[in-house]
Amino acid sequence: MTASEEPPAKKQKSVEDWADHKMNIGEALMKADEGKNLVDIVDGGISTLQGIGPISEKVLEAMGLNTVKDLATYKYYLLAKSIKVLSETESDRPEGSVMNIDNAIDKEFEAKSLTELLQAPIHAIEGLTENADTVLKELHVKTIGDLADFKYCKWAEAIVELAKYEELKTKKERHLEHELKKLA
């Protein structure tokens, strides 16, 4: 290898290998990040997501949410989303039922249905305070239902999930790997 050549691991993957692909999440990403691999976006800063400006970034970072992955795995978002998903299955509670989420909800909200919880303020979630209501209000998140629908967490969660299935090797690299397996 000459001094001007990059080692193989540093070379840019061939764009030609994905030229026929039409996948695009440009409405969710800043222009500069649209061509990146999903796996790179996962570990990128939250400002990678389109619409997160300096104020939103400051609020989210103050909450310890610095990367796209942090947003995707934010425990209070996941809890709110779970409440929302299961609220759609609610019916009359059977007599003698002991089902509860008391360890996730403040005492004053424990007897509420999941549907009612969606209308509750953010501080109804155990571990969040009325200060969280004030902070999240800046992001237009006022209720547990709003948090469940917070588009930046939803986008981040989808990006993290899809990144698990991203192919990073070029056709040439995959072919070489296949041929080497034959020799083993």
Side-chain angles (χ1 to χ4, degrees), residues 15-22:
V15 174
E16 295 167 8
D17 288 324
W18 292 279
D20 63 337
H21 287 48
K22 294 183 178 21

Side-chain angles (χ1 to χ4, degrees), residues 2 20 30 95 116 149:
T2 66
D20 63 337
M30 296 302 289
E95 193 172 316
E116 292 170 327
D149 291 330

Side-chain angles (χ1 to χ4, degrees), residues 3-64:
S4 64
E5 288 183 53
E6 288 186 58
K10 296 276 186 187
K11 285 186 180 177
Q12 178 68 32
K13 300 294 183 195
S14 173
V15 174
E16 295 167 8
D17 288 324
W18 292 279
D20 63 337
H21 287 48
K22 294 183 178 21
M23 185 178 129
N24 176 344
I25 58 170
E27 296 295 316
L29 300 175
M30 296 302 289
K31 196 72 162 163
D33 298 304
E34 288 180 14
K36 289 183 178 178
N37 287 42
L38 292 170
V39 295
D40 294 330
I41 293 166
V42 165
D43 294 321
I46 56 176
S47 62
T48 298
L49 299 177
Q50 194 172 111
I52 295 185
I55 293 172
S56 298
E57 184 175 24
K58 185 176 179 181
V59 169
L60 293 168
E61 287 179 348
M63 296 167 49

